[in-house]
Amino acid sequence: MARCTRVALSLLCASACLHIVTGSTSQGVLNQFVKRVKRQEETNKKEESFETELCKDKDAGEWFRLVAGEGDNCRDVIQCTSSGLQAIRCPAGLYFDIEKQTCDWKDAVKNCKLKNKERKVKPLLYTDEPLCTEGSLACGDGNCVERGLFCNGEKDCADGSDENTCDNDNDPNRAPPCDPAVCVLPDCFCSEDGTAIPGDLPAKDVPQMITITFDDAINNNNIQLYKDIFNGNRKNPNGCDIKATFFVSHKYTNYSAVQETHRKGHEIAVHSITHNDDEQFWSNATVDDWAKEMAGTRIIIEKFANLTDNSVVGVRAPYLRVGGNNQFTMMEEQAFLYDSTITAPLSNPPLWPYTMYFRMPHRCHGNLQHCPTRSHAVWEMVMNELDRREDPQFDEYLPGCAMVDSCSNILTGDQFYNFLNHNFDRHYEKNRAPLGLYFHAAWLKNNPEFLDAFLYWVDEILSNHNDVYFVTMTQVIQWIQNPRTISEVKNFEPWREKCTVDGKPACWVPHSCKLTSKELPGETINLQTCVRCPNNYPWVNDPTGDGFF
């Protein structure tokens, strides 16, 4: 009986099975059995129909909510699998971010009211028969739009589909692959895999460049740290002081300190006015948003740090959130020379900087990053990930890290020293691509053991090598544009500018301006500068502080 009922999916089978066993079973019992089988079938069909309906428009592996809302509803998500629906719940204190598809801190999740990821209509780029005339492409609804309007940062299709498939593989206006016959120095540099040495120099003849950078405000919290590192005693092989690049964010910055840092020969670059803590803002910002944030920062720096030499030419986005074509279009329009936001995944050998005229030589690396796809007249000082394994010969593979302070497994000074040596060797013994060491000052200041290890390592490198230079990002580009051998580079003029700087700072006691802004209601912020105090605290719509929006 049991075996028969397991395969009894139809009323015919159920009836036959019952007849074989009972022979003269009453019609009433038979009817009851038939009704029970019917109910079971209907329930199974409803469950299958419910699951089919839920999963019909979901991507493989996509998590979604059954119920939207705060609290546990924002912790609970389900997923369609081959074995049915599966559910997870984020740990206490976390909510599930539908767009990022991961658990995150409650305060960071803004989409609890959404059940699913946004469904984006795709354009009809590839069809059996052309839908549009030459020079136009079809939107998702079949209407035709000029080809150049696709992936330009503005929705020109009624359904927005022209902006929905805009990665390096699908953007119809994407930059072409590297063509060394067209891309020639000094204005253009590229290679197929990004590892080729500029000027085709042998690696043994290339000076090993190291770029130290610091992000965020320069103020009393870190001024002394910078003085300790760049104390005038640490010299490159050409006799000049070692140099660094500072990506300055505006709020709380002491501009008299910026002016002194620049006077000493370090590079000042921009890191935004607001440092907006919504990472999606930077991914989706318009060209105008980027201009206000980055060109606005340059206006503030030039005015209040009294920089008059047009040397503020570099950009790094907060949280290393790349702004796609909008960011790089702004950089072209505002005459910025280079970006240093894009991260390249850990590779051996590492990558050299490249120009964005041609396609990036590596994949767009990072969670939900928005890399540029079009051709742009901008250099990319690519951030090569660092290898954080303690013993690269035996340790299992670990993902790399771009900022030094994001290498979370560095716990002691000895580990940090070994980490620096290993990554130096990866560059020095391979293709001598510039080694980038990117910091937030607090990481070194709050960990004296790390600072001691770092300074010991810098001193050791300088004493043991006559071919290693700590230079600014612009100085790296100047070398790439005009490659010089180790013997020639000692007299390389761009590296001798502000070689050693003595003399007095611009002002011993800066003006301390307590200022407000209509854009920051209720806040009074102190601005320190050697120039006259402005009327208002400079901000996005009033970078000069004159009060004219």
Side-chain angles (χ1 to χ4, degrees), residues 157-180:
C157 290
D159 55 13
S161 57
D162 56 310
E163 300 299 317
N164 289 344
T165 53
C166 292
D167 57 25
N168 257 328
D169 295 320
N170 295 297
D171 182 353
N173 300 297
R174 60 189 176 272
C178 173
D179 183 349

PDB file of all heavy atoms in Angstrom, residues 157-180:
ATOM      1  N   CYS A 157      17.088  57.456 -22.703  1.00  0.00           N
ATOM      2  CA  CYS A 157      15.971  56.570 -23.042  1.00  0.00           C
ATOM      3  C   CYS A 157      14.851  56.796 -22.027  1.00  0.00           C
ATOM      4  O   CYS A 157      15.109  57.068 -20.851  1.00  0.00           O
ATOM      5  CB  CYS A 157      16.404  55.101 -22.992  1.00  0.00           C
ATOM      6  SG  CYS A 157      17.526  54.598 -24.319  1.00  0.00           S
ATOM      7  N   ALA A 158      13.615  56.647 -22.481  1.00  0.00           N
ATOM      8  CA  ALA A 158      12.469  56.827 -21.581  1.00  0.00           C
ATOM      9  C   ALA A 158      12.522  55.831 -20.417  1.00  0.00           C
ATOM     10  O   ALA A 158      12.115  56.153 -19.295  1.00  0.00           O
ATOM     11  CB  ALA A 158      11.161  56.671 -22.359  1.00  0.00           C
ATOM     12  N   ASP A 159      13.052  54.626 -20.676  1.00  0.00           N
ATOM     13  CA  ASP A 159      13.123  53.601 -19.623  1.00  0.00           C
ATOM     14  C   ASP A 159      14.477  53.607 -18.905  1.00  0.00           C
ATOM     15  O   ASP A 159      14.743  52.757 -18.054  1.00  0.00           O
ATOM     16  CB  ASP A 159      12.853  52.204 -20.206  1.00  0.00           C
ATOM     17  CG  ASP A 159      13.779  51.859 -21.375  1.00  0.00           C
ATOM     18  OD1 ASP A 159      14.792  52.580 -21.574  1.00  0.00           O
ATOM     19  OD2 ASP A 159      13.507  50.874 -22.086  1.00  0.00           O
ATOM     20  N   GLY A 160      15.343  54.559 -19.252  1.00  0.00           N
ATOM     21  CA  GLY A 160      16.646  54.652 -18.585  1.00  0.00           C
ATOM     22  C   GLY A 160      17.624  53.565 -18.955  1.00  0.00           C
ATOM     23  O   GLY A 160      18.713  53.460 -18.383  1.00  0.00           O
ATOM     24  N   SER A 161      17.289  52.754 -19.962  1.00  0.00           N
ATOM     25  CA  SER A 161      18.119  51.583 -20.273  1.00  0.00           C
ATOM     26  C   SER A 161      19.475  51.958 -20.855  1.00  0.00           C
ATOM     27  O   SER A 161      20.409  51.153 -20.823  1.00  0.00           O
ATOM     28  CB  SER A 161      17.384  50.657 -21.244  1.00  0.00           C
ATOM     29  OG  SER A 161      17.035  51.344 -22.436  1.00  0.00           O
ATOM     30  N   ASP A 162      19.623  53.189 -21.375  1.00  0.00           N
ATOM     31  CA  ASP A 162      20.913  53.590 -21.952  1.00  0.00           C
ATOM     32  C   ASP A 162      22.007  53.722 -20.902  1.00  0.00           C
ATOM     33  O   ASP A 162      23.188  53.788 -21.228  1.00  0.00           O
ATOM     34  CB  ASP A 162      20.772  54.906 -22.716  1.00  0.00           C
ATOM     35  CG  ASP A 162      20.216  56.020 -21.840  1.00  0.00           C
ATOM     36  OD1 ASP A 162      19.177  55.792 -21.184  1.00  0.00           O
ATOM     37  OD2 ASP A 162      20.799  57.112 -21.805  1.00  0.00           O
ATOM     38  N   GLU A 163      21.618  53.756 -19.596  1.00  0.00           N
ATOM     39  CA  GLU A 163      22.612  53.883 -18.524  1.00  0.00           C
ATOM     40  C   GLU A 163      22.713  52.615 -17.681  1.00  0.00           C
ATOM     41  O   GLU A 163      23.327  52.628 -16.612  1.00  0.00           O
ATOM     42  CB  GLU A 163      22.260  55.070 -17.623  1.00  0.00           C
ATOM     43  CG  GLU A 163      22.220  56.407 -18.333  1.00  0.00           C
ATOM     44  CD  GLU A 163      23.556  56.776 -18.952  1.00  0.00           C
ATOM     45  OE1 GLU A 163      24.591  56.587 -18.289  1.00  0.00           O
ATOM     46  OE2 GLU A 163      23.568  57.257 -20.103  1.00  0.00           O
ATOM     47  N   ASN A 164      22.118  51.510 -18.138  1.00  0.00           N
ATOM     48  CA  ASN A 164      22.015  50.319 -17.285  1.00  0.00           C
ATOM     49  C   ASN A 164      23.023  49.224 -17.587  1.00  0.00           C
ATOM     50  O   ASN A 164      23.150  48.286 -16.799  1.00  0.00           O
ATOM     51  CB  ASN A 164      20.597  49.742 -17.369  1.00  0.00           C
ATOM     52  CG  ASN A 164      19.588  50.626 -16.665  1.00  0.00           C
ATOM     53  OD1 ASN A 164      19.966  51.495 -15.883  1.00  0.00           O
ATOM     54  ND2 ASN A 164      18.308  50.408 -16.924  1.00  0.00           N
ATOM     55  N   THR A 165      23.733  49.290 -18.697  1.00  0.00           N
ATOM     56  CA  THR A 165      24.794  48.313 -18.959  1.00  0.00           C
ATOM     57  C   THR A 165      26.015  49.089 -19.420  1.00  0.00           C
ATOM     58  O   THR A 165      26.264  49.218 -20.619  1.00  0.00           O
ATOM     59  CB  THR A 165      24.369  47.280 -20.038  1.00  0.00           C
ATOM     60  OG1 THR A 165      23.915  47.983 -21.200  1.00  0.00           O
ATOM     61  CG2 THR A 165      23.280  46.371 -19.528  1.00  0.00           C
ATOM     62  N   CYS A 166      26.745  49.594 -18.450  1.00  0.00           N
ATOM     63  CA  CYS A 166      27.813  50.549 -18.777  1.00  0.00           C
ATOM     64  C   CYS A 166      29.158  50.124 -18.219  1.00  0.00           C
ATOM     65  O   CYS A 166      29.959  50.961 -17.795  1.00  0.00           O
ATOM     66  CB  CYS A 166      27.429  51.941 -18.263  1.00  0.00           C
ATOM     67  SG  CYS A 166      26.035  52.660 -19.163  1.00  0.00           S
ATOM     68  N   ASP A 167      29.442  48.835 -18.188  1.00  0.00           N
ATOM     69  CA  ASP A 167      30.765  48.402 -17.752  1.00  0.00           C
ATOM     70  C   ASP A 167      31.696  48.336 -18.951  1.00  0.00           C
ATOM     71  O   ASP A 167      31.313  48.640 -20.088  1.00  0.00           O
ATOM     72  CB  ASP A 167      30.701  47.054 -17.018  1.00  0.00           C
ATOM     73  CG  ASP A 167      30.079  45.955 -17.874  1.00  0.00           C
ATOM     74  OD1 ASP A 167      30.131  46.046 -19.124  1.00  0.00           O
ATOM     75  OD2 ASP A 167      29.536  44.996 -17.305  1.00  0.00           O
ATOM     76  N   ASN A 168      32.943  47.935 -18.699  1.00  0.00           N
ATOM     77  CA  ASN A 168      33.965  47.932 -19.754  1.00  0.00           C
ATOM     78  C   ASN A 168      33.647  46.984 -20.895  1.00  0.00           C
ATOM     79  O   ASN A 168      34.192  47.124 -21.992  1.00  0.00           O
ATOM     80  CB  ASN A 168      35.330  47.554 -19.148  1.00  0.00           C
ATOM     81  CG  ASN A 168      36.214  48.771 -18.967  1.00  0.00           C
ATOM     82  OD1 ASN A 168      36.141  49.710 -19.749  1.00  0.00           O
ATOM     83  ND2 ASN A 168      37.044  48.760 -17.940  1.00  0.00           N
ATOM     84  N   ASP A 169      32.769  46.004 -20.646  1.00  0.00           N
ATOM     85  CA  ASP A 169      32.462  45.025 -21.693  1.00  0.00           C
ATOM     86  C   ASP A 169      31.232  45.406 -22.498  1.00  0.00           C
ATOM     87  O   ASP A 169      31.055  44.923 -23.623  1.00  0.00           O
ATOM     88  CB  ASP A 169      32.251  43.641 -21.067  1.00  0.00           C
ATOM     89  CG  ASP A 169      33.521  43.107 -20.427  1.00  0.00           C
ATOM     90  OD1 ASP A 169      34.598  43.290 -21.022  1.00  0.00           O
ATOM     91  OD2 ASP A 169      33.438  42.530 -19.325  1.00  0.00           O
ATOM     92  N   ASN A 170      30.360  46.261 -21.950  1.00  0.00           N
ATOM     93  CA  ASN A 170      29.076  46.512 -22.593  1.00  0.00           C
ATOM     94  C   ASN A 170      28.839  47.948 -23.042  1.00  0.00           C
ATOM     95  O   ASN A 170      27.926  48.191 -23.821  1.00  0.00           O
ATOM     96  CB  ASN A 170      27.942  46.096 -21.642  1.00  0.00           C
ATOM     97  CG  ASN A 170      27.942  44.608 -21.370  1.00  0.00           C
ATOM     98  OD1 ASN A 170      27.747  43.804 -22.274  1.00  0.00           O
ATOM     99  ND2 ASN A 170      28.186  44.222 -20.127  1.00  0.00           N
ATOM    100  N   ASP A 171      29.601  48.906 -22.536  1.00  0.00           N
ATOM    101  CA  ASP A 171      29.418  50.289 -22.953  1.00  0.00           C
ATOM    102  C   ASP A 171      29.711  50.396 -24.451  1.00  0.00           C
ATOM    103  O   ASP A 171      30.826  50.122 -24.897  1.00  0.00           O
ATOM    104  CB  ASP A 171      30.373  51.195 -22.163  1.00  0.00           C
ATOM    105  CG  ASP A 171      30.213  52.674 -22.521  1.00  0.00           C
ATOM    106  OD1 ASP A 171      29.469  52.996 -23.465  1.00  0.00           O
ATOM    107  OD2 ASP A 171      30.855  53.501 -21.851  1.00  0.00           O
ATOM    108  N   PRO A 172      28.717  50.789 -25.280  1.00  0.00           N
ATOM    109  CA  PRO A 172      28.964  50.872 -26.730  1.00  0.00           C
ATOM    110  C   PRO A 172      29.974  51.955 -27.094  1.00  0.00           C
ATOM    111  O   PRO A 172      30.487  51.968 -28.214  1.00  0.00           O
ATOM    112  CB  PRO A 172      27.581  51.184 -27.307  1.00  0.00           C
ATOM    113  CG  PRO A 172      26.784  51.734 -26.172  1.00  0.00           C
ATOM    114  CD  PRO A 172      27.327  51.109 -24.923  1.00  0.00           C
ATOM    115  N   ASN A 173      30.252  52.864 -26.160  1.00  0.00           N
ATOM    116  CA  ASN A 173      31.229  53.933 -26.411  1.00  0.00           C
ATOM    117  C   ASN A 173      32.512  53.726 -25.604  1.00  0.00           C
ATOM    118  O   ASN A 173      33.235  54.688 -25.326  1.00  0.00           O
ATOM    119  CB  ASN A 173      30.603  55.284 -26.048  1.00  0.00           C
ATOM    120  CG  ASN A 173      29.355  55.577 -26.856  1.00  0.00           C
ATOM    121  OD1 ASN A 173      29.416  55.696 -28.074  1.00  0.00           O
ATOM    122  ND2 ASN A 173      28.218  55.666 -26.183  1.00  0.00           N
ATOM    123  N   ARG A 174      32.789  52.475 -25.245  1.00  0.00           N
ATOM    124  CA  ARG A 174      33.947  52.189 -24.390  1.00  0.00           C
ATOM    125  C   ARG A 174      35.262  52.504 -25.093  1.00  0.00           C
ATOM    126  O   ARG A 174      35.348  52.485 -26.323  1.00  0.00           O
ATOM    127  CB  ARG A 174      33.927  50.738 -23.938  1.00  0.00           C
ATOM    128  CG  ARG A 174      33.959  49.716 -25.057  1.00  0.00           C
ATOM    129  CD  ARG A 174      33.720  48.300 -24.511  1.00  0.00           C
ATOM    130  NE  ARG A 174      33.640  47.293 -25.564  1.00  0.00           N
ATOM    131  CZ  ARG A 174      32.527  46.967 -26.200  1.00  0.00           C
ATOM    132  NH1 ARG A 174      31.401  47.588 -25.929  1.00  0.00           N
ATOM    133  NH2 ARG A 174      32.529  46.014 -27.126  1.00  0.00           N
ATOM    134  N   ALA A 175      36.265  52.782 -24.260  1.00  0.00           N
ATOM    135  CA  ALA A 175      37.606  53.061 -24.795  1.00  0.00           C
ATOM    136  C   ALA A 175      38.155  51.817 -25.476  1.00  0.00           C
ATOM    137  O   ALA A 175      37.885  50.691 -25.050  1.00  0.00           O
ATOM    138  CB  ALA A 175      38.521  53.489 -23.651  1.00  0.00           C
ATOM    139  N   PRO A 176      38.957  51.996 -26.525  1.00  0.00           N
ATOM    140  CA  PRO A 176      39.514  50.832 -27.237  1.00  0.00           C
ATOM    141  C   PRO A 176      40.642  50.190 -26.453  1.00  0.00           C
ATOM    142  O   PRO A 176      41.201  50.801 -25.529  1.00  0.00           O
ATOM    143  CB  PRO A 176      40.041  51.450 -28.543  1.00  0.00           C
ATOM    144  CG  PRO A 176      40.370  52.869 -28.170  1.00  0.00           C
ATOM    145  CD  PRO A 176      39.356  53.271 -27.140  1.00  0.00           C
ATOM    146  N   PRO A 177      41.028  48.951 -26.778  1.00  0.00           N
ATOM    147  CA  PRO A 177      42.184  48.320 -26.137  1.00  0.00           C
ATOM    148  C   PRO A 177      43.460  49.100 -26.445  1.00  0.00           C
ATOM    149  O   PRO A 177      43.537  49.838 -27.438  1.00  0.00           O
ATOM    150  CB  PRO A 177      42.231  46.916 -26.763  1.00  0.00           C
ATOM    151  CG  PRO A 177      40.888  46.717 -27.390  1.00  0.00           C
ATOM    152  CD  PRO A 177      40.372  48.064 -27.755  1.00  0.00           C
ATOM    153  N   CYS A 178      44.445  48.929 -25.600  1.00  0.00           N
ATOM    154  CA  CYS A 178      45.716  49.641 -25.759  1.00  0.00           C
ATOM    155  C   CYS A 178      46.314  49.406 -27.143  1.00  0.00           C
ATOM    156  O   CYS A 178      46.395  48.275 -27.624  1.00  0.00           O
ATOM    157  CB  CYS A 178      46.697  49.178 -24.678  1.00  0.00           C
ATOM    158  SG  CYS A 178      48.366  49.819 -24.888  1.00  0.00           S
ATOM    159  N   ASP A 179      46.738  50.497 -27.770  1.00  0.00           N
ATOM    160  CA  ASP A 179      47.417  50.426 -29.069  1.00  0.00           C
ATOM    161  C   ASP A 179      48.736  51.197 -28.937  1.00  0.00           C
ATOM    162  O   ASP A 179      48.763  52.423 -29.059  1.00  0.00           O
ATOM    163  CB  ASP A 179      46.548  51.037 -30.160  1.00  0.00           C
ATOM    164  CG  ASP A 179      47.182  50.914 -31.543  1.00  0.00           C
ATOM    165  OD1 ASP A 179      48.372  50.539 -31.619  1.00  0.00           O
ATOM    166  OD2 ASP A 179      46.487  51.208 -32.549  1.00  0.00           O
ATOM    167  N   PRO A 180      49.861  50.484 -28.680  1.00  0.00           N
ATOM    168  CA  PRO A 180      51.147  51.160 -28.465  1.00  0.00           C
ATOM    169  C   PRO A 180      51.598  52.002 -29.658  1.00  0.00           C
ATOM    170  O   PRO A 180      52.401  52.921 -29.483  1.00  0.00           O
ATOM    171  CB  PRO A 180      52.116  49.994 -28.215  1.00  0.00           C
ATOM    172  CG  PRO A 180      51.253  48.842 -27.818  1.00  0.00           C
ATOM    173  CD  PRO A 180      49.971  49.027 -28.554  1.00  0.00           C
TER     174      PRO A 180
END
